Amino acid sequence: MTPDAAPVLTAVDGHAARLTLNRPRALNSLTPAMLDAVARALDAWEHDPAVRTVVLDGAGERGLCAGADIRLFHDDARSGDHTASEAFLRAEYRLDARIAHYPKPYVALMDGIVMGGGVGLSAHGSVRVVTERSRVAMPEVTIGLVPDVGGTFLLSRAPGHLGTHLALTGLPAGAADAVLCGLADHVVPSAALPGLLADLARLPAHDAVARHARPAPEGVLAEQREWIDACYAADTVEEIVDRLHACGEPAAKEAAETLLAKSPSAVKTTLESLRRAARLDSLEAALDQEFRVSCAALDTHDLPEGVRAQIIDKDRDPHWDPATLAEVGADRVARYFAPLGERELGLA
């Protein structure tokens, strides 16, 4: 899998068709061409009787996918022309919804880093496999964005307030925590993945996975559940922070400091997004809502500034505007959810 090969590799081995995201130097971050390649492959395999299972994995040693290639959003936001970004989001969200309803087993091998758009291509699949190396995260608040690709739908349905904790801090979930939060189904040792791939070529997907699945290693969220649920049940982000600081747990204080380093606008909008998503009845409705929120974020100061700090200049020193939670009023948050008229995604 050379870096200069096609950005998505396709192959059929026995009864399994394999999609390999192939930009390892960029941690397989997603481009419009990659979304198109995945969609075309799914079209071809859906009606191919020789293909019984589709398998998604990533090239390289670091992970499945780090998310979208967000330089596109930075450039669009700075130029004021959001045409390319909106087209990317539209294609990405439609693909995520397609994966959720794909008629054949869709096995996602979520080894290593799986973030943002990588979660969208994997966590909506019917068979989701993590390993001891997995780090599954929705870290959008770090760049002034809100969890998308159906992330608000998934995280709003995690036990208690675990999903709120992950969304507001952007912290990663290991294998056990990903299963606990409903982001994955099975744990397979990374060393067993070649054997799993060989078995997927000849066995039904669930039988193949069952041969290699192991009990999840010990996670951290289950033992932190008591303070997480107590703190994140608060009505506002400010009160959540106060509870985290006051509860006496070192991990809670660390979570508060992590949250406070994120975009105040994105954090407040994320909390509202999760609570609205919890009341929605389908993934498609959540994706429609996320499209409105993401399009609104393209018009903000924080998204291009967050991408600049994390990806362009890499100084990790974003200057948010507004700079504090207190400056982000309910009216500012409400603007993220404004209807888009003819530009709506319209999946639900």
Side-chain angles (χ1 to χ4, degrees), residues 100-238:
H101 299 289
Y102 200 66
K104 298 179 179 183
Y106 179 100
V107 182
L109 303 184
M110 303 168 70
D111 185 38
I113 293 172
V114 187
M115 298 193 300
V119 174
L121 292 189
S122 57
H124 300 302
S126 53
V127 184
R128 306 165 301 173
V129 174
V130 284
T131 76
E132 78 284 354
R133 294 171 6 101
S134 295
R135 297 294 179 268
V136 184
M138 295 298 296
E140 284 75 10
V141 288
T142 306
I143 60 164
L145 195 56
V146 172
D148 64 341
V149 299
T152 62
F153 184 80
L154 294 168
L155 292 175
S156 68
R157 284 154 175 78
H161 293 281
L162 296 180
T164 306
H165 170 63
L166 293 177
L168 297 191
T169 61
L171 291 171
D177 293 332
V179 173
L180 173 63
C181 291
L183 302 173
D185 306 302
H186 308 281
V187 180
V188 172
S190 58
L193 291 180
L196 172 57
L197 284 166
D199 283 343
L200 285 166
R202 63 186 186 87
L203 296 173
H206 288 282
D207 293 346
V209 172
R211 288 170 59 97
H212 298 276
R214 299 292 182 268
E218 187 174 347
V220 298
L221 292 182
E223 63 185 41
Q224 295 178 344
R225 175 81 184 272
E226 184 175 356
W227 66 257
I228 287 175
D229 284 354
C231 294
Y232 288 93
D235 290 335
T236 67
V237 177
E238 289 91 338

Side-chain angles (χ1 to χ4, degrees), residues 33-313:
M34 294 170 74
L35 298 178
D36 183 60
V38 172
R40 283 188 283 107
L42 293 180
D43 284 343
W45 294 332
E46 180 173 352
H47 302 292
D48 185 343
V51 173
R52 299 179 186 174
T53 300
V54 173
V55 183
L56 174 76
D57 67 354
E61 298 299 318
R62 297 168 62 198
L64 172 66
C65 176
D69 191 336
I70 54 178
R71 290 174 186 267
L72 170 67
F73 301 147
H74 174 269
D75 295 344
D76 262 17
R78 285 176 60 90
S79 73
D81 180 358
H82 306 154
T83 304
S85 294
E86 288 193 16
F88 177 90
L89 294 170
R90 193 179 298 276
E92 183 180 29
Y93 297 0
R94 288 186 176 280
L95 181 57
D96 297 334
R98 172 103 187 275
I99 288 167
H101 299 289
Y102 200 66
K104 298 179 179 183
Y106 179 100
V107 182
L109 303 184
M110 303 168 70
D111 185 38
I113 293 172
V114 187
M115 298 193 300
V119 174
L121 292 189
S122 57
H124 300 302
S126 53
V127 184
R128 306 165 301 173
V129 174
V130 284
T131 76
E132 78 284 354
R133 294 171 6 101
S134 295
R135 297 294 179 268
V136 184
M138 295 298 296
E140 284 75 10
V141 288
T142 306
I143 60 164
L145 195 56
V146 172
D148 64 341
V149 299
T152 62
F153 184 80
L154 294 168
L155 292 175
S156 68
R157 284 154 175 78
H161 293 281
L162 296 180
T164 306
H165 170 63
L166 293 177
L168 297 191
T169 61
L171 291 171
D177 293 332
V179 173
L180 173 63
C181 291
L183 302 173
D185 306 302
H186 308 281
V187 180
V188 172
S190 58
L193 291 180
L196 172 57
L197 284 166
D199 283 343
L200 285 166
R202 63 186 186 87
L203 296 173
H206 288 282
D207 293 346
V209 172
R211 288 170 59 97
H212 298 276
R214 299 292 182 268
E218 187 174 347
V220 298
L221 292 182
E223 63 185 41
Q224 295 178 344
R225 175 81 184 272
E226 184 175 356
W227 66 257
I228 287 175
D229 284 354
C231 294
Y232 288 93
D235 290 335
T236 67
V237 177
E238 289 91 338
E239 188 179 351
I240 289 172
V241 172
D242 288 344
R243 291 187 185 186
L244 289 169
H245 276 135
C247 83
E249 291 286 345
K253 183 177 180 181
E254 290 176 13
E257 297 308 313
T258 298
L259 185 161
L260 288 170
K262 312 304 183 184
S263 159
S265 297
V267 168
K268 283 201 168 182
T269 306
T270 293
L271 183 63
E272 179 66 14
S273 293
L274 288 170
R275 293 185 172 171
R276 291 188 183 211
R279 300 190 296 268
L280 298 175
D281 61 3
S282 68
L283 169 64
E284 286 76 13
L287 287 165
D288 284 347
Q289 175 176 283
E290 290 171 354
F291 187 72
R292 294 182 202 111
V293 172
S294 295
C295 287
L298 292 169
D299 281 321
T300 67
H301 164 275
D302 281 5
L303 177 55
E305 172 61 11
V307 177
R308 179 207 63 75
Q310 295 295 323
I311 303 298
I312 308 297
D313 298 336

